[in-house]
Amino acid sequence: SFVFVFVRRITERLSRSCSSIRPPHDDGMIASKKFAAVLAVVALANAVEAARTLTQEIRETKTGLLWKGSPLFAASDAAKAGFTCGYEGRECNFQYSDQTGPDGTCVPAAAPYIPTNPNPTMMEFCGYHQANPPYHWDGVWHNTTLLSESIPSGAFYGCIVGNNWQSQEARRLPGWMGKAFNANTGGFANLVDVGFYSDNTAYPGRFYPTYSVEGGLSWTLDYQVQTGVPLIGGVLDFAINRLLPGQYIRNFGGFKDEIKEIAPGVWLGRVYSLPMSLSWDLSLGNVSPFTVYTQVPFLLFQACL
């Protein structure tokens, strides 16, 4: 880029000027000064490049459209055949889920109707479906075959639905309140609130659009740690993700989530247990060689904070 060309030219000029004025018996001092000058120029160039990137990111995100420098833009564009826009053969305008209103404003999710209330609150909607079997959501999941152009972004309130024992056990996790997504980095975290303690970075991971045999097209929420340690990295990662206790006892490295938008601002999710994983709480883990759906569906509602 122009920044690196600029750095090279400045460095060459500094080198020529330093060599032309070098006095005898002073090579060490000149070399030190030249090195310091080069470091200063490189630092300045890095700052300029970072400022340029940030300016571009701010300019593009003001429109509500996904920043093209985000890793999710390339991933979504590569998988656009699985999005409604790609399936219909039109251009995909990927947009942040918390900037879908006029001029990129946030529109909070409205809970769908329930038989006892056409306009329920989020708590009323969750309460109704927590008292009913979760199988209704299997049909909703499988009937939502394509992904919307909304990219998960910002904070979401969450609730686990279903009255089966798996969902009831999952609701015993301390203080789970929802999730938060950063669409510019492709990272996410869970929101936990226990008494006076709030944790907005619990169980972090990365997310991306993909296809799985278990759930079809969806956004995968990947909790697995990747240490990158040479030689033993794979073994170390497996131990961290599948065998050892995790944050708040439960190790989410042995799980993955998949989510889809089923209504504006409302996302349906499913929890899967990964093969050969242990759990240090009542979830028991999964010692089989297969990825298993845990029968735990959950809902996420777009929040505007």
Side-chain angles (χ1 to χ4, degrees), residues 68-90:
K68 292 183 179 180
S70 165
L72 295 182
F73 185 88
S76 300
D77 189 60
K80 65 182 179 181
F83 287 79
T84 303
C85 52
Y87 179 79
E88 295 175 351
R90 55 183 175 83

Side-chain angles (χ1 to χ4, degrees), residues 146-191:
L146 296 172
L147 302 180
S148 69
E149 293 173 76
S150 292
I151 309 298
S153 179
F156 290 77
Y157 299 117
C159 67
I160 298 169
V161 292
N163 63 356
N164 54 330
W165 72 266
Q166 295 96 328
S167 295
Q168 292 174 13
E169 186 278 328
R171 281 194 286 271
R172 293 190 180 96
L173 280 173
W176 184 72
M177 303 295 293
K179 298 180 184 291
F181 297 85
N182 186 332
N184 285 346
T185 64
F188 77 94
N190 285 268
L191 309 178

Side-chain angles (χ1 to χ4, degrees), residues 19-299:
S19 61
S20 64
I21 63 173
R22 182 175 59 195
H25 313 300
D26 206 13
D27 290 346
M29 183 179 296
I30 293 298
S32 299
K33 289 182 178 180
K34 181 168 67 173
F35 183 67
V38 170
L39 288 180
V41 172
V42 171
L44 176 62
N46 288 337
V48 171
E49 183 72 11
R52 184 187 66 81
T53 302
L54 180 60
T55 302
Q56 180 183 4
E57 178 181 344
I58 294 174
R59 186 186 302 117
E60 292 183 5
T61 55
K62 281 184 178 180
T63 64
L65 298 180
L66 180 63
W67 176 46
K68 292 183 179 180
S70 165
L72 295 182
F73 185 88
S76 300
D77 189 60
K80 65 182 179 181
F83 287 79
T84 303
C85 52
Y87 179 79
E88 295 175 351
R90 55 183 175 83
E91 182 180 358
C92 290
N93 293 313
F94 304 115
Q95 60 183 160
Y96 299 95
S97 64
D98 60 347
Q99 298 182 28
T100 58
D103 299 321
T105 56
C106 182
V107 179
Y113 78 94
I114 55 178
T116 57
N117 187 347
N119 298 297
T121 64
M122 185 189 71
M123 292 185 62
E124 291 171 338
F125 184 84
C126 289
Y128 174 83
H129 285 287
Q130 286 172 349
N132 287 280
Y135 314 117
H136 159 76
W137 298 108
D138 291 342
V140 176
W141 179 270
H142 292 296
N143 287 333
T144 308
T145 56
L146 296 172
L147 302 180
S148 69
E149 293 173 76
S150 292
I151 309 298
S153 179
F156 290 77
Y157 299 117
C159 67
I160 298 169
V161 292
N163 63 356
N164 54 330
W165 72 266
Q166 295 96 328
S167 295
Q168 292 174 13
E169 186 278 328
R171 281 194 286 271
R172 293 190 180 96
L173 280 173
W176 184 72
M177 303 295 293
K179 298 180 184 291
F181 297 85
N182 186 332
N184 285 346
T185 64
F188 77 94
N190 285 268
L191 309 178
V192 173
D193 194 352
V194 182
F196 295 103
Y197 176 70
S198 295
D199 186 357
N200 297 329
T201 61
Y203 304 119
R206 56 194 179 279
F207 68 103
Y208 42 83
T210 190
Y211 175 88
S212 73
V213 175
E214 304 83 25
L217 291 168
S218 68
W219 288 89
T220 291
L221 278 54
D222 184 356
Y223 293 93
Q224 296 189 87
V225 173
Q226 296 180 347
T227 60
V229 176
L231 300 179
I232 63 169
V235 176
L236 182 61
D237 294 349
F238 182 83
I240 293 173
N241 291 318
R242 308 292 177 90
L243 303 179
L244 300 177
Q247 190 178 21
Y248 303 107
I249 301 178
R250 176 162 295 182
N251 188 347
F252 262 64
F255 295 87
K256 71 170 181 175
D257 298 337
E258 294 183 351
I259 61 173
K260 298 179 183 182
E261 188 175 35
I262 58 174
V266 181
W267 297 67
L268 173 61
R270 288 156 57 113
V271 181
Y272 296 87
S273 183
L274 300 178
M276 307 302 293
S277 58
L278 299 180
S279 183
W280 296 84
D281 57 12
L282 295 178
S283 68
L284 302 179
N286 174 20
V287 297
S288 79
F290 308 105
T291 298
V292 177
Y293 174 44
T294 63
Q295 303 299 320
V296 177
F298 61 91
L299 295 170

